[in-house]
Amino acid sequence: MSFSLTNPFKGTSTTDYEHFLSLPFYETKLAESVKCHLIGDAQMIATDKSPYTRLVFWGLAGTGKSTLVSLAKKMLDDFGIANAIIQFMPQTIEELSTRTEISLIERAKAGEHIYIIADYQDKLKTEAELRAGYQTLEKIFHDHILNSHLHFIFAMNPSHYVEAFKVTEILGKFDLWRIKPLSKEEVVGIINARFSYYDQRLEDVFDEGVT
């Protein structure tokens, strides 16, 4: 069987938010948990309560970390909650504000709830960059207004997580969500979602024994 359209399995890992939006999405159990968490956050914000979201998505390369942070951004966008995805380790609070499209520090100080979504790439930062980056985070946590209005969702590999604890214990204040291997049902669901590009299903293409 030949396809004239783009191969749905080429570039299978989500690279950024725009890439995520271009792909068919299958909701895994972990993705469902992320959605439930953010729905709860949105309900709290709508009733003038302050959520305290500090999440780390922890997993090896290619396990779906970028997919989860992209899902989080889409949900926050749909809720009308300000957010910014960053892929850099801010060395100062000023850099965190100036290198994002929204004036997140100023808006948080004015009382708006802002989500910072850090999708750290699998290549480790230097120890100096890690130290300065987490010192910046510590300064935010020590500022009462920023601490109650800035919310964090981080995605990182195990090596980054381990190295971070050599320079700070700040990640101990985060809820660690370990990304586990997908179940067979989830794998089949994701493959079927990709085949939806062609209005096909897994069983339409492979022999029965494959499924």
Side-chain angles (χ1 to χ4, degrees), residues 25-210:
F25 178 70
Y26 175 81
E27 187 173 299
T28 62
K29 292 181 180 178
L30 184 55
E32 182 180 356
S33 296
V34 172
K35 290 179 69 173
C36 289
H37 183 98
L38 292 177
I39 288 172
D41 280 12
Q43 291 173 341
M44 291 184 71
I45 292 172
T47 55
D48 294 325
K49 297 178 182 177
S50 180
Y52 190 79
T53 291
R54 307 281 188 268
L55 302 180
V56 170
F57 298 142
W58 180 99
L60 297 170
T63 53
K65 299 187 299 294
S66 293
T67 297
L68 287 176
V69 296
S70 295
L71 170 64
K73 175 172 175 54
K74 184 178 187 306
M75 289 195 65
L76 292 168
D77 286 345
D78 291 345
F79 289 140
I81 299 173
N83 66 86
I85 284 187
I86 62 173
Q87 292 184 326
F88 63 92
M89 179 70 70
Q91 304 296 284
T92 64
I93 292 180
E94 291 71 24
E95 182 185 17
L96 181 58
S97 187
T98 57
R99 287 187 60 181
T100 52
E101 295 181 359
I102 62 175
S103 302
L104 53 89
I105 298 297
E106 292 75 10
R107 291 169 66 173
K109 286 183 176 179
E112 184 176 357
H113 289 282
I114 309 286
Y115 282 70
I116 298 173
I117 307 170
D119 186 13
Y120 293 128
Q121 300 304 296
D122 292 315
K123 184 178 178 181
L124 272 177
K125 305 294 183 182
T126 66
E127 182 175 328
E129 289 177 310
L130 283 174
R131 186 179 301 279
Y134 285 112
Q135 284 176 344
T136 297
L137 189 60
E138 288 174 354
K139 290 178 181 177
I140 290 173
F141 279 21
H142 291 152
D143 184 304
H144 175 70
I145 295 179
L146 290 181
N147 187 42
S148 59
H149 289 87
L150 285 178
H151 311 286
F152 300 90
I153 300 174
F154 289 174
M156 62 183 67
N157 63 26
S159 297
H160 182 134
Y161 189 78
V162 170
E163 290 299 315
F165 273 95
K166 293 181 180 180
V167 300
T168 180
E169 294 184 355
I170 198 73
L171 290 181
K173 297 182 179 181
F174 283 64
D175 292 329
L176 180 64
W177 291 27
R178 296 174 182 264
I179 302 177
K180 298 179 180 179
L182 299 175
S183 66
K184 178 182 177 181
E185 177 186 357
E186 289 173 325
V187 171
V188 172
I190 290 173
I191 293 174
N192 273 325
R194 291 298 177 95
F195 274 118
S196 68
Y197 274 144
Y198 310 107
D199 294 324
Q200 295 278 352
R201 296 176 301 171
L202 185 63
E203 53 265 36
D204 297 328
V205 179
F206 294 107
D207 293 336
E208 182 178 352
V210 175

